[in-house]
PDB file of all heavy atoms in Angstrom:
ATOM      1  N   ARG A  84      45.739 215.806  95.977  1.00  0.00           N
ATOM      2  CA  ARG A  84      45.836 216.952  96.862  1.00  0.00           C
ATOM      3  C   ARG A  84      44.489 217.653  97.014  1.00  0.00           C
ATOM      4  O   ARG A  84      44.169 218.179  98.070  1.00  0.00           O
ATOM      5  CB  ARG A  84      46.881 217.936  96.322  1.00  0.00           C
ATOM      6  CG  ARG A  84      47.078 219.164  97.209  1.00  0.00           C
ATOM      7  CD  ARG A  84      48.164 220.062  96.623  1.00  0.00           C
ATOM      8  NE  ARG A  84      48.317 221.280  97.392  1.00  0.00           N
ATOM      9  CZ  ARG A  84      49.064 221.395  98.468  1.00  0.00           C
ATOM     10  NH1 ARG A  84      49.721 220.353  98.913  1.00  0.00           N
ATOM     11  NH2 ARG A  84      49.163 222.544  99.107  1.00  0.00           N
ATOM     12  N   ASN A 106      52.008 214.402  68.852  1.00  0.00           N
ATOM     13  CA  ASN A 106      51.005 213.717  68.019  1.00  0.00           C
ATOM     14  C   ASN A 106      50.188 212.714  68.826  1.00  0.00           C
ATOM     15  O   ASN A 106      49.878 211.612  68.352  1.00  0.00           O
ATOM     16  CB  ASN A 106      51.676 213.020  66.831  1.00  0.00           C
ATOM     17  CG  ASN A 106      52.099 214.001  65.749  1.00  0.00           C
ATOM     18  OD1 ASN A 106      51.597 215.119  65.669  1.00  0.00           O
ATOM     19  ND2 ASN A 106      53.034 213.590  64.904  1.00  0.00           N
ATOM     20  N   LYS A 138      53.895 226.994  88.233  1.00  0.00           N
ATOM     21  CA  LYS A 138      53.310 226.607  89.519  1.00  0.00           C
ATOM     22  C   LYS A 138      51.897 226.076  89.340  1.00  0.00           C
ATOM     23  O   LYS A 138      51.408 225.323  90.177  1.00  0.00           O
ATOM     24  CB  LYS A 138      53.303 227.800  90.483  1.00  0.00           C
ATOM     25  CG  LYS A 138      54.678 228.211  90.971  1.00  0.00           C
ATOM     26  CD  LYS A 138      54.580 229.314  92.005  1.00  0.00           C
ATOM     27  CE  LYS A 138      55.961 229.677  92.545  1.00  0.00           C
ATOM     28  NZ  LYS A 138      55.884 230.764  93.548  1.00  0.00           N
ATOM     29  N   ASP A 146      50.158 218.272  72.738  1.00  0.00           N
ATOM     30  CA  ASP A 146      51.297 218.074  71.843  1.00  0.00           C
ATOM     31  C   ASP A 146      52.275 219.239  71.982  1.00  0.00           C
ATOM     32  O   ASP A 146      51.879 220.415  71.969  1.00  0.00           O
ATOM     33  CB  ASP A 146      50.831 217.967  70.397  1.00  0.00           C
ATOM     34  CG  ASP A 146      50.093 216.674  70.114  1.00  0.00           C
ATOM     35  OD1 ASP A 146      50.139 215.765  70.960  1.00  0.00           O
ATOM     36  OD2 ASP A 146      49.461 216.571  69.044  1.00  0.00           O
ATOM     37  N   GLY A 147      53.555 218.894  72.117  1.00  0.00           N
ATOM     38  CA  GLY A 147      54.581 219.911  72.317  1.00  0.00           C
ATOM     39  C   GLY A 147      54.885 220.176  73.774  1.00  0.00           C
ATOM     40  O   GLY A 147      55.811 220.934  74.076  1.00  0.00           O
ATOM     41  N   ASP A 153      63.445 221.967  78.063  1.00  0.00           N
ATOM     42  CA  ASP A 153      63.296 223.405  77.869  1.00  0.00           C
ATOM     43  C   ASP A 153      62.428 223.713  76.656  1.00  0.00           C
ATOM     44  O   ASP A 153      62.455 222.988  75.651  1.00  0.00           O
ATOM     45  CB  ASP A 153      64.667 224.052  77.654  1.00  0.00           C
ATOM     46  CG  ASP A 153      65.539 224.014  78.899  1.00  0.00           C
ATOM     47  OD1 ASP A 153      64.983 223.947  80.005  1.00  0.00           O
ATOM     48  OD2 ASP A 153      66.775 224.044  78.745  1.00  0.00           O
ATOM     49  N   THR A 156      63.348 223.099  72.694  1.00  0.00           N
ATOM     50  CA  THR A 156      64.094 221.875  72.401  1.00  0.00           C
ATOM     51  C   THR A 156      63.573 221.252  71.115  1.00  0.00           C
ATOM     52  O   THR A 156      62.375 221.007  70.974  1.00  0.00           O
ATOM     53  CB  THR A 156      63.967 220.860  73.557  1.00  0.00           C
ATOM     54  OG1 THR A 156      64.484 221.436  74.754  1.00  0.00           O
ATOM     55  CG2 THR A 156      64.732 219.591  73.243  1.00  0.00           C
ATOM     56  N   ALA A 172      64.935 214.277  71.411  1.00  0.00           N
ATOM     57  CA  ALA A 172      64.635 215.606  71.934  1.00  0.00           C
ATOM     58  C   ALA A 172      65.986 216.247  72.228  1.00  0.00           C
ATOM     59  O   ALA A 172      66.607 215.959  73.258  1.00  0.00           O
ATOM     60  CB  ALA A 172      63.785 215.526  73.196  1.00  0.00           C
ATOM     61  N   GLY A 173      66.472 217.056  71.297  1.00  0.00           N
ATOM     62  CA  GLY A 173      67.861 217.488  71.383  1.00  0.00           C
ATOM     63  C   GLY A 173      68.735 216.261  71.204  1.00  0.00           C
ATOM     64  O   GLY A 173      68.652 215.557  70.197  1.00  0.00           O
ATOM     65  N   LEU A 176      67.127 210.633  74.019  1.00  0.00           N
ATOM     66  CA  LEU A 176      66.256 209.671  73.354  1.00  0.00           C
ATOM     67  C   LEU A 176      64.984 209.490  74.166  1.00  0.00           C
ATOM     68  O   LEU A 176      65.031 209.193  75.366  1.00  0.00           O
ATOM     69  CB  LEU A 176      66.956 208.323  73.206  1.00  0.00           C
ATOM     70  CG  LEU A 176      66.112 207.201  72.560  1.00  0.00           C
ATOM     71  CD1 LEU A 176      65.794 207.540  71.107  1.00  0.00           C
ATOM     72  CD2 LEU A 176      66.842 205.864  72.661  1.00  0.00           C
ATOM     73  N   ALA A 195      59.815 195.155  65.810  1.00  0.00           N
ATOM     74  CA  ALA A 195      59.808 193.915  65.027  1.00  0.00           C
ATOM     75  C   ALA A 195      60.967 193.909  64.030  1.00  0.00           C
ATOM     76  O   ALA A 195      61.177 194.873  63.288  1.00  0.00           O
ATOM     77  CB  ALA A 195      58.484 193.756  64.285  1.00  0.00           C
ATOM     78  N   ALA A 220      65.098 180.194  72.977  1.00  0.00           N
ATOM     79  CA  ALA A 220      64.073 180.962  73.685  1.00  0.00           C
ATOM     80  C   ALA A 220      64.032 182.396  73.187  1.00  0.00           C
ATOM     81  O   ALA A 220      62.950 182.984  73.022  1.00  0.00           O
ATOM     82  CB  ALA A 220      64.340 180.927  75.193  1.00  0.00           C
ATOM     83  N   GLY A 248      52.222 191.915  92.719  1.00  0.00           N
ATOM     84  CA  GLY A 248      52.911 190.654  92.468  1.00  0.00           C
ATOM     85  C   GLY A 248      54.385 190.868  92.207  1.00  0.00           C
ATOM     86  O   GLY A 248      54.858 192.004  92.047  1.00  0.00           O
ATOM     87  N   PRO A 276      56.556 197.673  78.889  1.00  0.00           N
ATOM     88  CA  PRO A 276      55.430 198.187  78.130  1.00  0.00           C
ATOM     89  C   PRO A 276      54.235 197.236  78.148  1.00  0.00           C
ATOM     90  O   PRO A 276      54.402 196.026  78.059  1.00  0.00           O
ATOM     91  CB  PRO A 276      55.985 198.365  76.726  1.00  0.00           C
ATOM     92  CG  PRO A 276      57.466 198.570  76.936  1.00  0.00           C
ATOM     93  CD  PRO A 276      57.804 197.688  78.093  1.00  0.00           C
ATOM     94  N   ALA A 286      55.162 180.934  80.002  1.00  0.00           N
ATOM     95  CA  ALA A 286      55.905 179.712  80.324  1.00  0.00           C
ATOM     96  C   ALA A 286      57.376 179.859  79.940  1.00  0.00           C
ATOM     97  O   ALA A 286      58.268 179.386  80.654  1.00  0.00           O
ATOM     98  CB  ALA A 286      55.284 178.522  79.601  1.00  0.00           C
TER      99      ALA A 286
END
Side-chain angles (χ1 to χ4, degrees):
R84 181 178 176 85
N106 285 339
K138 290 185 177 179
D146 289 348
D153 292 335
T156 300
L176 178 65

